[in-house]
Amino acid sequence: MIVEAEDHELVQGLRRGDPGAFNRAYAKHRARVYGFLLRLSGRRDVADDLLQETWMRLARAAADLREDTTLLSWLFTVARNQFLSYRRWSVLDVTRLLSFGTESQDTDPGPEARTEAAARLGAMEQAIGGLSADAREALLLVAVEGFEQEEAAKVLGISYAALRQRLSRARAELDKRITTLDARATRVQAAARGRGTP
Amino acid sequence: MNEPGNDDDSVGRELRDLPARDADARTAERVRRAAVDAFVETHTLRGRPWRAMAMRTARALPPLIVVGTVGIYLAWAISTANALFGGH
């Protein structure tokens, strides 16, 4: 990913301690970081917390950023590390056990899924949510967020070759899940049509 | 095998076109405010190490006082119990 001129200025502002630069960085990158965290965790409450942790980390480390820092990559690296840390600790979280079976993935598209396009979108979100964590993060960075593969490998802390392997596996896994979901949707539609005819 | 990211297949396009999922406005504003406050505080304290140390000490003091009080009380309770019943 090429360091954009605007991001370069933002990094300079952050290093100087300019709150305006921080606000601009937040406005520019918040949604992408949040979307990444939401699709990684599958839970809005978790994504909310991790979003805050990520930006607090930037607030405290801003003055130490290197001049050539790619801000978006830096934020995604921190966001991903926050998610990994959350996942490690969540093993010990009793509230998760209590809510087990009652929680649903927040990636559910909601009532708008009545239209075919929205239903397809929902199926895609569901398929991504069902991928293994390794596959999901690789796919989200490259295919959804548009990171160059070299940059994505840096964010994930793995080699370029390892990333390509992960992407291949992720894509195969995704295709399989989409096929399964499509088949299920077709069966449901057929059953609905069957009930509709006298 | 399709290459995710630079592919021209329909799934690749769908992935690229997934809509942004943003935080709700209240959460976004709460996070922004907390982060900007931390940013300003961190930068202000950066040039004044004595003040940063004073703030860290002030934060650490209340739990230290509680732990100290509990420790002293426990020591007193054990020694008193020992004095009363220890000899027999």
Side-chain angles (χ1 to χ4, degrees):
Chain A
M1 185 175 286
I2 299 161
V3 182
E4 297 169 41
E6 196 190 343
D7 262 15
H8 184 71
E9 278 171 32
L10 286 177
V11 170
Q12 300 309 314
L14 290 169
R15 281 161 51 88
R16 279 197 311 271
D18 172 13
F22 192 91
N23 279 320
R24 285 198 300 282
Y26 186 71
K28 186 176 178 197
H29 296 310
R30 181 198 66 232
R32 288 184 71 181
V33 173
Y34 186 81
F36 177 62
L37 286 169
L38 181 58
R39 289 185 172 117
L40 262 188
S41 66
R43 285 176 54 180
R44 204 166 262 280
D45 58 335
V46 174
D48 287 355
D49 288 348
L50 299 182
L51 179 77
Q52 173 146 347
E53 290 304 318
T54 302
W55 287 93
M56 291 299 272
R57 186 61 67 88
L58 177 65
R60 297 200 179 103
D64 299 321
L65 290 177
R66 282 174 32 181
E67 263 186 67
D68 61 347
T69 300
T70 308
L71 192 56
L72 191 64
S73 299
W74 190 94
L75 286 165
F76 271 75
T77 305
V78 172
R80 183 217 175 221
N81 288 340
Q82 296 289 343
F83 172 69
L84 292 181
S85 175
Y86 153 76
R87 216 174 47 167
R88 275 195 294 272
W89 281 101
S90 67
V91 174
L92 306 172
D93 184 359
V94 181
T95 57
R96 274 179 82 240
L97 294 175
L98 295 175
S99 63
F100 184 73
T102 59
E103 66 190 38
S104 62
Q105 284 258 324
D106 277 339
T107 46
D108 181 63
E112 70 269 23
R114 287 185 198 103
T115 66
E116 199 177 315
R120 175 72 187 170
L121 188 67
M124 182 62 84
E125 294 276 15
Q126 205 180 333
I128 294 171
L131 295 176
S132 64
D134 282 358
R136 193 160 65 234
E137 61 185 10
L139 196 77
L140 284 174
L141 284 175
V142 177
V144 179
E145 296 299 334
F147 275 71
E148 296 292 339
Q149 294 190 4
E150 290 86 354
E151 197 67 28
K154 278 187 211 161
V155 170
L156 299 177
I158 57 177
S159 68
Y160 176 68
L163 175 81
R164 288 186 62 85
Q165 271 184 355
R166 268 200 206 181
L167 282 172
S168 288
R169 273 203 309 269
R171 191 50 204 273
E173 215 182 308
L174 185 75
D175 287 344
K176 210 164 113 187
R177 285 184 176 276
I178 289 173
T179 308
T180 309
L181 288 169
D182 282 349
R184 196 181 300 163
T186 309
R187 278 202 305 276
V188 169
Q189 278 169 2
R193 271 199 298 274
R195 278 197 301 273
T197 49
Chain B
M1 186 78 205
N2 292 312
E3 282 291 319
N6 59 351
D7 47 8
D8 55 0
D9 69 312
S10 66
V11 174
R13 273 197 304 275
E14 282 180 78
L15 286 169
R16 273 198 303 274
D17 296 341
L18 280 176
R21 308 286 307 267
D22 202 354
D24 65 76
R26 219 165 58 179
T27 305
E29 181 55 20
R30 176 177 54 77
V31 171
R32 188 194 67 78
R33 230 178 268 173
V36 169
D37 285 351
F39 177 73
V40 171
E41 186 191 290
T42 306
H43 195 76
T44 309
L45 294 178
R46 212 171 170 76
R48 302 170 195 169
W50 59 269
R51 203 171 150 188
M53 196 187 288
M55 284 193 71
R56 272 200 299 274
T57 310
R59 271 190 208 127
L61 216 53
L64 282 178
I65 289 171
V66 171
V67 168
T69 308
V70 169
I72 290 168
Y73 173 75
L74 274 178
W76 171 81
I78 289 168
S79 67
T80 305
N82 242 351
L84 286 174
F85 308 110
H88 303 288

